[in-house]
């Protein structure tokens, strides 16, 4: 941890120093200057960089762009909408690429339509393996909302449009290219590099990661793993900072059931189940569970405060304050303006399903709702459920956990580790941005691996912060990625893995 904090302090110092020199220019200018500053620092940075010519050849990334785009479009054009998934179609494509390249690859399946593939490049065994993974399934689409058909992977105005463009066929393509290039370049390895493309991440991990962990763990066992969940944030077209997902919230749905007396709709009853359920939902929605930081989110908000524009930085600092009034005011602001950040502060509750009644003239005896609850990694589920029941405070309404598969809890990845430093170095070298660890509010397949003790890091390409609100984000009506950022991410992915696996 010491080293990490020193790195962060250095990063802050560089940025503050620039701010002093450029006066009141905004962050955008700071980001541009940061690149210049890094160039000026070139001598010392290059000395640490593992990619000088003495270390061997590097892929000719410009020449590889056609091949990268070909693979990316090919996997995007395979309809792996989950349900039903049909991930075996993507697995067949990947298998054929690995076969052509002479990389050993094996298919594992609980259901033959929902297979997984594992490829492995052998190292000397001096160090424990690395695992690169990406899921092959996509969330569902409403094709009528798309300007270009969702599985056409149309290139337009510098973007590629397709379901899966940034979730998760970007990581799939980058992982594939990293394997291919390590093999083709004949990079001598200190450790095995394993690639896993798994099915069912979007809600059926029993076919994918859960199956692989339970039945074939030896095939994917590694010291470190890399998957989705992080990336580089661009604002106004400029990369500003990178995030590495080091931990994630745990989804635990809660069902609410209310019971009342049924009757004729012409005679209203105080016990009406719908009225009681609506009251319970209103109370739960008003409630803000306690704000709590962990090492990842504390480092994230401190880091964000050091690089954000002053008017926003104030809130990131205040929410960390021990002064309850400052903290509450900052929380109010985040809930209103940056709900994703507000969700990172606490176990969140969102009522997303409400059902009850079947005829306008019948008072139903039962009504049901489902709360989407995203727990902080250290939350005690039973205690939280008890708190929900206390907030509702209505004997007619019961809150309970449904019988369903849940993601297991696991320890956050370390921030003073070799992979975190390799990612940080690559972000500086390739994007000229500082790196912040982050906790995703959504779940990923890393949960199952962290529960097995693996150190997992979420990475991803650079996307425009403005793109999500325009409807081009993950799981949005449309999805897209800049072609230039796909190429840059493939290089980033390769360099991080090569840095960690190359024989030293
Ligand atoms: Zn995903």
């Amino acid at each position: 941890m010491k080293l990490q904090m020193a790195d962060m302090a250095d990063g802050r110092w560089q940025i503050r120093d620039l701010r002093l020199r450029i006066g009141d220019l905004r962050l955008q200018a700071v980001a541009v200057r940061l690149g210049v500053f890094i160039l000026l620092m070139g001598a010392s940075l290059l000395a640490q960089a593992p990619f000088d010519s003495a270390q061997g050849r590097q892929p000719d990334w410009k020449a590889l762009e056609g091949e990268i785009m070909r693979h990316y479009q090919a996997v995007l054009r395979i309809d792996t909408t989950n349900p039903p998934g049909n991930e075996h179609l993507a697995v067949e494509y990947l298998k054929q690429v690995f076969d052509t390249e002479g990389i050993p690859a094996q298919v594992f399946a609980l259901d033959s339509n929902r297979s997984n593939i594992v490829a492995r490049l052998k190292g000397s065994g001096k160090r424990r393996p690395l695992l690169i993974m990406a899921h092959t399934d996509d969330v569902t689409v409403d094709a009528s909302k798309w300007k270009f058909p969702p599985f056409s992977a149309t290139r337009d105005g510098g973007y590629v449009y397709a379901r899966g463009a940034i979730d998760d066929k970007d990581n799939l393509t980058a992982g594939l290219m990293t394997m291919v290039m390590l093999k083709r370049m004949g990079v001598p390895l200190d450790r095995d590099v394993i690639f896993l493309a798994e099915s069912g991440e979007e809600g059926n991990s029993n076919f994918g990661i859960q199956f692989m962990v339970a039945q074939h763990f030896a095939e994917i066992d590694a010291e470190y793993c890399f998957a989705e969940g992080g990336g580089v944030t661009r604002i106004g077209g400029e990369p500003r900072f990178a995030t590495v997902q080091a931990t994630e919230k745990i989804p635990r749905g809660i069902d609410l059931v209310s019971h009342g007396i049924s009757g004729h709709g012409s005679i209203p009853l105080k016990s009406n189940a719908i009225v009681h359920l609506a009251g319970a939902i209103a109370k739960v929605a008003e409630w803000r569970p306690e704000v709590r930081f962990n090492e990842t989110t504390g480092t994230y908000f401190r880091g964000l405060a050091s690089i954000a524009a002053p008017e926003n930085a104030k809130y990131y600092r205040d929410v960390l304050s021990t002064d309850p009034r400052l903290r509450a005011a900052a929380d109010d602001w985040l809930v209103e303006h940056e709900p994703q950040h507000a969700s990172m502060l606490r176990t969140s509750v969102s009522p997303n399903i409400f059902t009850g009644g079947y005829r306008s003239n019948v008072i139903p005896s039962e009504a049901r709702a489902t709360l989407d609850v995203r727990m902080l990694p250290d939350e005690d589920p039973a205690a939280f459920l008890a708190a929900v029941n206390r907030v509702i405070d209505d004997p007619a309404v019961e809150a309970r956990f449904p019988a369903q598969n849940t993601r297991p809890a696991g320890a956050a990845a370390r921030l003073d580790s070799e992979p975190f430093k390799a990612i940080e170095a690559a972000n500086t070298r390739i994007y000229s941005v500082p790196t912040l660890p982050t906790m995703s509010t959504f779940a990923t397949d890393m949960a199952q691996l962290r529960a097995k003790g693996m150190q997992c890091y979420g990475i991803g390409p650079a996307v425009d912060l403005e793109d999500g609100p325009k409807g081009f984000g993950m799981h949005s009506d449309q999805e897209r990625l800049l072609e230039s950022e796909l190429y840059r991410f493939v290089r980033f992915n390769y360099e991080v893995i090569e840095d960690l696996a190359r024989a030293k």
Side-chain angles (χ1 to χ4, degrees):
M1 198 54 224
K2 239 179 215 155
L3 264 173
Q4 167 56 18
M5 295 316 289
D7 289 344
M8 283 296 299
D10 275 346
R12 269 203 288 272
W13 175 82
Q14 290 174 8
I15 290 159
R16 285 203 185 122
D17 181 58
L18 283 161
R19 229 177 236 168
L20 279 176
R21 285 196 278 142
I22 59 178
D24 58 357
L25 287 177
R26 287 292 182 81
L27 187 61
Q28 184 166 7
V30 175
V32 172
R33 301 294 164 89
L34 185 59
V36 177
F37 185 67
I38 284 161
L39 278 178
L40 293 175
M41 294 283 288
S44 70
L45 281 173
L46 271 177
Q48 300 161 16
F51 300 101
D52 51 325
S53 51
Q55 296 291 352
R57 296 175 303 135
Q58 285 301 307
D60 181 348
W61 294 112
K62 199 74 208 156
L64 287 166
E65 287 182 357
E67 184 178 352
I68 294 168
M69 185 53 68
R70 212 164 45 246
H71 288 313
Y72 186 54
Q73 285 185 306
V75 292
L76 287 171
R77 285 172 179 158
I78 299 169
D79 182 349
T80 49
T81 304
N82 178 13
N86 286 323
E87 295 94 334
H88 70 102
L89 298 171
V91 164
E92 280 157 24
Y93 179 83
L94 297 167
K95 179 81 168 79
Q96 160 241 309
V97 176
F98 287 129
D99 288 350
T100 307
E101 298 292 332
I103 299 170
Q106 245 185 305
V107 177
F108 299 92
L110 178 63
D111 173 328
S112 59
N113 287 330
R114 313 211 60 180
S115 49
N116 307 280
I117 185 166
V118 177
R120 183 182 289 254
L121 293 169
K122 291 295 282 180
S124 67
K126 199 170 143 195
R127 290 181 288 162
R128 294 190 55 218
L130 299 181
L131 171 65
I132 319 171
M133 59 181 214
H135 62 88
T136 46
D137 58 325
D138 295 323
V139 285
T140 41
V141 291
D142 175 353
S144 69
K145 302 259 168 65
W146 288 69
K147 185 172 168 199
F148 305 105
F151 298 99
S152 65
T154 302
R155 295 170 73 173
D156 185 70
Y159 289 91
V160 179
Y161 289 79
R163 178 54 95 216
I166 54 170
D167 181 17
D168 188 26
K169 286 169 174 168
D170 49 341
N171 281 64
L172 190 68
T173 303
L176 175 67
M177 283 305 297
T178 293
M179 296 296 282
V180 165
M181 293 316 296
L182 286 173
K183 175 74 162 69
R184 244 187 243 169
M185 304 286 291
V187 178
L189 303 171
D190 267 352
R191 60 199 335 162
D192 290 5
V193 178
I194 308 167
F195 170 90
L196 164 66
E198 81 280 16
S199 63
E201 195 272 346
E202 305 286 3
N204 315 88
S205 51
N206 54 313
F207 294 113
I209 196 65
Q210 212 170 295
F211 164 71
M212 291 305 296
V213 166
Q215 307 284 325
H216 302 286
F217 189 63
E219 303 294 337
I220 57 168
D221 190 10
E223 183 170 14
Y224 303 120
C225 88
F226 301 87
E228 62 184 331
V232 174
T233 300
R234 300 175 17 138
I235 302 173
E238 286 293 326
R240 299 294 182 84
F241 61 90
T243 55
V244 179
Q245 198 252 50
T247 186
E248 61 189 54
K249 294 177 92 176
I250 305 161
R252 288 298 297 260
I254 290 181
D255 286 343
L256 301 184
V257 186
S258 81
H259 292 284
I261 298 161
S262 63
H264 198 286
S266 64
I267 307 165
L269 296 175
K270 282 200 78 167
S271 72
N272 186 315
I274 287 182
V275 173
H276 282 262
L277 187 63
I281 294 220
K283 283 186 210 164
V284 165
E286 262 315 287
W287 177 47
R288 281 196 214 160
E290 173 205 12
V291 171
R292 211 159 69 235
F293 288 92
N294 52 42
E295 187 195 5
T296 304
T297 55
T299 309
Y300 173 77
F301 278 95
R302 278 193 298 278
L304 205 57
S306 75
I307 57 173
E311 60 269 29
N312 290 27
K314 174 189 164 18
Y315 298 108
Y316 307 140
R317 255 193 315 273
D318 285 356
V319 81
L320 287 153
S321 165
T322 48
D323 179 336
R325 276 175 314 139
L326 278 182
R327 198 160 158 152
D331 184 27
D332 285 344
W333 188 85
L334 292 172
V335 166
E336 182 74 26
H337 301 280
E338 296 184 355
Q340 189 198 338
H341 281 145
S343 179
M344 283 171 70
L345 301 173
R346 54 167 56 82
T347 291
S348 64
V349 181
S350 178
N352 294 350
I353 303 176
F354 190 111
T355 55
Y358 53 94
R359 270 187 76 102
S360 68
N361 61 357
V362 173
I363 298 174
S365 59
E366 191 181 284
R368 288 169 175 270
T370 302
L371 308 176
D372 185 357
V373 176
R374 303 296 173 126
M375 295 197 169
L376 289 174
D378 65 349
E379 194 72 70
D380 174 348
F384 191 82
L385 184 67
V388 170
N389 273 312
R390 274 198 304 280
V391 167
I392 292 172
D393 189 26
D394 180 348
V397 182
E398 188 204 348
R400 61 191 185 208
F401 287 122
Q404 62 167 31
N405 289 330
T406 57
R407 301 261 190 186
R414 294 178 61 112
L415 308 181
D416 60 352
S417 65
E418 195 192 359
F420 192 88
K421 283 177 201 152
I423 291 169
E424 202 169 31
N427 279 326
T428 306
R429 197 170 56 241
I430 297 172
Y431 296 96
S432 303
V433 293
T435 301
L436 309 178
T438 191
M439 174 180 75
S440 64
T441 52
F442 53 86
T444 74
D445 279 350
M446 288 184 281
Q448 276 82 350
L449 298 172
R450 288 195 182 116
K452 296 284 281 184
M454 217 182 274
Q455 300 273 316
C456 294
Y457 299 88
I459 54 177
V463 296
D464 290 305
L465 187 68
E466 300 87 349
D467 233 25
K470 285 184 200 159
F472 295 109
M474 282 187 206
H475 298 206
S476 288
D477 277 350
Q478 302 189 71
E479 205 175 325
R480 68 181 183 184
L481 177 62
L482 278 164
E483 295 180 10
S484 55
E485 293 301 354
L486 170 70
Y487 302 138
R488 185 143 67 159
F489 177 53
V490 172
R491 182 189 152 201
F492 168 87
N493 198 290
Y494 175 86
E495 291 191 9
V496 168
I497 301 299
E498 202 249 24
D499 185 6
L500 293 166
R502 173 173 37 83
K504 298 204 170 84

